[in-house]
Amino acid sequence: MSDMLLSVRNLTLDIPTGSGILHAVRGIDFDLRRGETLSIVGESGSGKSLTSLAVMGLLGKSIKRSADEIRFGDTDLLKANNRVMRDLRGNRMAMIFQEPMTSLNPAYTIGDQLMEALLLHRNVSRDKARARAVELLEKVGITAAASRLSQYPHQLSGGLRQRVMIAMALMCEPDLLIADEPTTALDVTIQAQILRLLVDLTREMNMAMILITHDLGVVARVADKVAVMYAGELVETGPASEVFATPSHPYTRGLLRCIPQPGKTARGARLGTIAGIVPSLVGEVTGCAFRTRCPHAQPSCREAIPMRGTAGHAFRCVFADGALSEEKGVVA
Amino acid sequence: MFAFILKRLGLALLVAFTVSFISFSLLFLSGDPAAALAGETASGEDVEALRRLYGFDRPMMVQYGDWLFSALRGDFGESYYFKLPVASLIAERLQVTMTLGVCGILFALATAVPLGVAAAIRPNSLIDRVALFLSVAGQAMPSFWFGLILIVVFAIQLGWLPPSGASSWRHFIMPTIVLGYYAMPAIMRLTRAGMLDVLNSDYIRTARAKGSGEMRVLFKHALRNAIIPVVSLAAVQMGFMLGGSIVVESVFALHGAGYLAWESIARNDLPTVQALILVFSMFYIVFTFLADVLNAWLDPRMRSA
Ligand SMILES: Nc1ncnc2c1ncn2[C@@H]1O[C@H](COP(=O)(O)OP(=O)(O)OP(=O)(O)O)[C@@H](O)[C@H]1O
Ligand code: SF4
Ligand SMILES: [Mg+2]
C-alpha cells in the first residue's frame, strides 16, 4: 500500500528512574495514510508527547525505545541512523509544539529560523529561501510578512509565534505534520483560528497530521481517526465518527460523558473528569491500567486484556462489548 | 542597536565622572595630604609650605577641576616617591599588566569555554568529572602557591622557562597560566550551567526537529544563548585581573600596575594611588560597556534595555 505513510507497531518506551523503570508507553499500534488526520487524545501524562517524539526520533538519550515496526513511507525508522533521521526531520516530517513562547530561538530573526530548514534540506539560494518564507508567512495569515523576517521572537505575540512555528514546519512541504497540543497555550479566540489554519493547510497540501489534544471538541471536528490513550496504552482506536457514535472502552465513554451531544462538544471541554487516580507505571505493569478508576473492574482485569472489535475500530477490555451492557444494567 | 550603544555610552560616561570624583576625594579622606607628604618629623611651617606648593590650600572643587582637567590631558602630576610624572610611570607598568591580563583572560576563556561545553554535552561523563576536578582545584589553590610550584618545576628543575622578569614572551607563560587558571573555574561552571540549561530548552528541540545536525545545534543554537552571562563575568574578571594581579606580579617579579599600586599605597604616594584607582576604574567601565554591547549583539532582547 503506497498510500500508507506511517505504521507503528508495538511501540514501547521505557524510562529508567531512581525507583525503577517507568513504562511510559506500552505496546501501541497505529497507522496513518497520506493526507489523513489522526488525533491522539488522553489525559496529561498518558504518553502522547513521548509517542510523537519517538516517531520524530527526538527522545532524550535516557529513554529506551523499542518497537516491532516504525515505518515512515519507505524508510524503516527502527534501522535509520542519525543522518537518515536528520534528513527526514524538518523535511518529510515536521513538528510543532505546545509552547510557542519558548519554541523559537531568541537570538535569531524569524527569517533566519524560517529559512533554516529549507537551506538545510534543499539546495536553494538564500533569496529563494527568503521568498518561500514570505510566502508561508502569508499563508499562515501573517500580515506585512516581508517585514516580519527581520523581527525577533520576543517582538511577536504568542499567537503570531505559533503561526511562525507552523510556517516553519511547512517550509519543506512535509508529508507528516505532528502538532503536539498546538493551541493549549493560546487565548481561546486564537485557538480556533490556529486550528482552522492547520486543518486548511493539511487539506491544501495533502499532508497527514497527528494532532495531539486535550480538547474533544477539536477531535470531533477535524480528525479522521482517533486514538485514545490512557496511562501509556491505546485503549481505543478507530474512525472519529465511529468512536464518537459508539465509544466502546469505558474510559472513552467516561471522557465523552461530559459532552451532551457527541460531535457537538463545546470548545474547551476538558478531559480528566473521571474520579480516581492513575496508577504508577514504575515497575511491572499488568492488566488493564484503567481498573483503578473503572466502574466495571473485575478480578480478571488484572490479567492480560485482549484487543477487541475490528481492525478498524478496536478497543481493549475484558468485556467483549466494553462493559456496555453492564453499564446499561447499572443505569436501568 | 545604535540607540542602545549611545545610551550605554552615556551611562558609562556618567559613571566615569562619578568615579573620578570619588578617586579625587580619596586624597582628602586619608587625612591631611600635606602632612602625609611632609612626613612625621616635619615642622608646622614645612607642612604649610608644602600645602601652598601643591595647592592644597585652595577650595576642594577648584582642586578637583584642576586635577580632572589635567588628568584628561594625561597629566596626573608627579609621584611623591619616584619624583617622576605619574602618567609615564603608570604607562610603563600598565604595559606589563595589560599583556598579562589579556593573555590571562584569553587563556581562561580558551580552556574554560570548551571544557564547560564538553561537560554540559555529557553530564557526569569522564570529561565532566575532569572539568569539575580542575575547577575545584583552581578555586582551592592559592595563586601564589600555584605560581611557586610552577617556578619550582618548570624554571628550577626543568629549566624550560625563566622564573621571573618580563623581558620576553617566555616570561609571561607561567604568569598567564596562574592568572588564567584563577579565572577559569567560574567561567567554566557558568558555561556548563548555561549550556545545560539551554540544551534543555524548547528552541533546541525545535532546532533538532528541523533536522539541524548536532554541531549546528550546539554551536549555532545553544552556545550563543549560553555564553551571554559568561561575557559579563569575563568582563568583570578582566577588570579584576588588570587591577588585582598583585599576587601574580609579585610571585613572578613582573613589575606591573598591580605591584605599583601596592608599592604606592605602602609609601603614601597619593598622586600615583589616585591615578591608578582612576585608571583601574576606567578599565572596569570600558569592559562593562564592551560586554553590554557584545551581549546586546548576542541577544536582541537586551537591545531595548
Ligand atoms: N524525560 C523524561 N524522564 C522521565 N519521565 C518522563 C520523561 N518524559 C516524560 N516522562 C513521563 O512520561 C509520562 C508521559 O509523558 P508525556 O509528556 O508523553 O505525556 P503527555 O501525554 O504528552 O502529557 P501532557 O498532556 O501533559 O503533555 C509522564 O508521566 C511523564 O512524567
Ligand atoms: S472492565 Fe476491566 S478491562 Fe475493561 S476497562 Fe474496566 S478495568 Fe479495564
Ligand atoms: Mg505533552
Side-chain angles (χ1 to χ4, degrees):
Chain A
M1 276 192 286
S2 62
D3 191 33
M4 193 59 81
L5 183 64
L6 178 67
S7 300
V8 174
R9 290 286 169 275
N10 197 22
L11 173 66
T12 303
L13 301 174
D14 291 338
I15 309 174
T17 67
S19 46
I21 292 176
L22 172 68
H23 299 279
V25 170
R26 300 185 308 288
I28 69 173
D29 303 337
F30 61 90
D31 290 313
L32 196 60
R33 289 167 199 281
R34 287 182 189 277
E36 220 171 31
T37 294
L38 164 72
S39 192
I40 304 182
V41 290
E43 286 164 316
S44 195
S46 54
K48 306 180 299 291
S49 296
L50 285 179
T51 302
S52 50
L53 291 171
V55 172
M56 292 287 289
L58 287 175
L59 292 168
K61 286 192 193 90
S62 65
I63 301 177
K64 197 177 148 287
R65 179 184 81 174
S66 64
D68 294 343
E69 182 181 19
I70 307 178
R71 177 166 288 279
F72 178 75
D74 299 329
T75 316
D76 181 353
L77 298 191
L78 286 174
K79 295 212 182 83
N81 59 22
N82 281 340
R83 171 89 241 154
V84 173
M85 286 313 295
R86 273 212 309 277
D87 285 346
L88 289 175
R89 283 200 289 264
N91 184 12
R92 309 288 5 124
M93 51 166 86
M95 186 160 177
I96 48 183
F97 302 96
Q98 188 172 345
E99 307 85 4
M101 301 311 280
T102 51
S103 290
L104 290 163
N105 193 327
Y108 293 98
T109 61
I110 302 300
D112 273 342
Q113 298 188 59
L114 277 166
M115 286 150 63
E116 189 173 9
L118 199 63
L119 293 171
L120 277 171
H121 297 292
R122 302 274 195 280
N123 195 11
V124 297
S125 67
R126 281 190 75 85
D127 282 345
K128 277 245 173 65
R130 187 173 294 114
R132 171 87 177 141
V134 172
E135 180 194 332
L136 272 169
L137 284 184
E138 278 165 358
K139 196 165 254 182
V140 299
I142 291 183
T143 53
S147 69
R148 301 281 184 187
L149 293 186
S150 58
Q151 288 193 315
Y152 287 93
H154 73 275
Q155 295 169 308
L156 306 183
S157 67
L160 275 183
R161 286 189 219 186
Q162 196 63 302
R163 283 174 200 266
V164 170
M165 285 296 293
I166 294 172
M168 204 149 84
L170 301 183
M171 282 296 280
C172 294
E173 284 204 48
D175 301 314
L176 171 65
L177 176 67
I178 301 181
D180 187 357
E181 305 191 36
T183 61
T184 309
L186 303 174
D187 289 348
V188 180
T189 45
I190 297 170
Q191 285 187 4
Q193 292 170 14
I194 296 283
L195 213 68
R196 169 139 328 119
L197 179 69
L198 276 174
V199 172
D200 291 347
L201 288 171
T202 49
R203 298 236 167 95
E204 187 186 324
M205 296 181 165
N206 190 30
M207 192 164 51
M209 174 160 71
I210 297 179
L211 178 67
I212 296 173
T213 180
H214 280 204
D215 188 335
L216 282 172
V218 165
V219 180
R221 279 180 297 132
V222 308
D224 300 307
K225 291 202 284 201
V226 187
V228 182
M229 239 178 137
Y230 183 79
E233 277 181 331
L234 282 189
V235 293
E236 182 162 0
T237 55
S241 51
E242 274 188 45
V243 173
F244 276 87
T246 54
S248 301
H249 193 276
Y251 177 61
T252 315
R253 287 202 300 277
L255 292 180
L256 290 169
R257 196 153 295 138
C258 51
I259 307 170
Q261 290 157 295
K264 290 186 185 165
T265 319
R267 218 172 0 258
R270 290 279 151 174
L271 308 188
T273 49
I274 304 162
I277 28 165
V278 184
S280 160
L281 301 179
V282 176
E284 205 184 339
V285 183
T286 51
C288 178
F290 188 52
R291 68 177 182 273
T292 53
R293 295 163 81 185
C294 182
H296 318 294
Q298 306 285 314
S300 55
C301 299
R302 294 170 191 282
E303 284 146 34
I305 312 293
M307 208 64 187
R308 301 189 182 275
T310 61
H313 181 184
F315 62 98
R316 191 186 290 271
C317 183
V318 288
F319 290 98
D321 64 349
L324 197 62
S325 53
E326 191 99 346
E327 199 162 283
K328 287 194 175 124
V330 169
V331 171
Chain B
M1 185 79 185
F2 188 66
F4 171 84
I5 293 178
L6 272 184
K7 222 190 258 174
R8 282 297 143 122
L9 201 59
L11 201 66
L13 284 175
L14 212 68
V15 174
F17 191 73
T18 314
V19 164
S20 78
F21 186 74
I22 293 172
S23 57
F24 171 78
S25 328
L26 284 178
L27 193 60
F28 296 90
L29 287 181
S30 53
D32 181 355
L37 191 57
E40 277 159 31
T41 54
S43 69
E45 282 138 57
D46 289 344
V47 174
E48 276 315 306
L50 273 172
R51 197 187 305 285
R52 266 194 301 280
L53 178 65
Y54 283 94
F56 293 135
D57 52 345
R58 295 172 300 161
M60 187 166 158
M61 286 322 281
V62 174
Q63 290 185 55
Y64 171 63
D66 199 28
W67 177 80
L68 184 65
F69 194 64
S70 310
L72 284 176
R73 286 176 311 169
D75 176 8
F76 292 97
E78 190 175 89
S79 158
Y80 295 167
Y81 177 78
F82 292 97
K83 306 292 180 203
L84 284 168
V86 172
S88 60
L89 191 64
I90 290 183
E92 184 197 318
R93 301 295 192 94
L94 220 49
Q95 232 173 1
V96 172
T97 301
M98 293 261 267
T99 311
L100 184 56
V102 170
C103 291
I105 197 80
L106 288 181
F107 176 78
L109 286 171
T111 51
V113 172
L115 214 57
V117 170
I121 296 172
R122 296 198 199 296
N124 301 319
S125 64
L126 183 66
I127 186 123
D128 191 15
R129 278 157 217 261
V130 169
L132 181 68
F133 172 78
L134 283 176
S135 100
V136 169
Q139 279 189 326
M141 199 159 49
S143 288
F144 78 87
W145 189 76
F146 183 44
L148 289 177
I149 299 258
L150 287 187
I151 291 176
V152 168
V153 174
F154 293 99
I156 298 174
Q157 302 220 318
L158 296 169
W160 291 350
L161 293 166
S164 63
S167 46
S168 81
W169 63 269
R170 294 174 68 241
H171 288 88
F172 282 93
I173 294 178
M174 288 193 293
T176 294
I177 292 173
V178 174
L179 194 60
Y181 192 31
Y182 177 76
M184 194 260 286
I187 298 180
M188 196 213 69
R189 280 202 252 171
L190 202 60
T191 308
R192 180 183 182 274
M195 275 303 269
L196 271 178
D197 194 40
V198 169
L199 284 175
N200 269 322
S201 66
D202 294 333
Y203 57 83
I204 292 302
R205 191 182 52 189
T206 306
R208 293 212 166 96
K210 269 190 229 179
S212 301
E214 209 46 32
M215 285 296 138
R216 196 180 173 83
V217 167
L218 286 176
F219 294 105
K220 182 175 169 166
H221 287 281
L223 189 59
R224 179 161 176 170
N225 287 289
I227 207 77
I228 290 165
V230 176
V231 171
S232 312
L233 175 68
V236 172
Q237 281 183 329
M238 180 81 203
F240 185 76
M241 280 183 179
L242 291 182
S245 53
I246 306 171
V247 172
V248 176
E249 289 181 7
S250 311
V251 169
F252 292 98
L254 289 166
H255 288 217
Y259 191 72
L260 178 64
W262 184 75
E263 278 177 307
S264 310
I265 292 166
R267 286 167 181 148
N268 243 336
D269 188 354
L270 283 169
T272 314
V273 174
Q274 237 178 0
L276 280 170
I277 289 174
L278 189 67
V279 168
F280 290 152
S281 316
M282 291 309 138
F283 276 130
Y284 262 105
I285 293 168
V286 168
F287 289 125
T288 314
F289 169 71
L290 290 180
D292 282 350
V293 172
L294 183 55
N295 272 343
W297 176 74
L298 287 169
D299 184 353
R301 285 169 299 183
M302 292 192 194
R303 286 172 210 169
S304 51

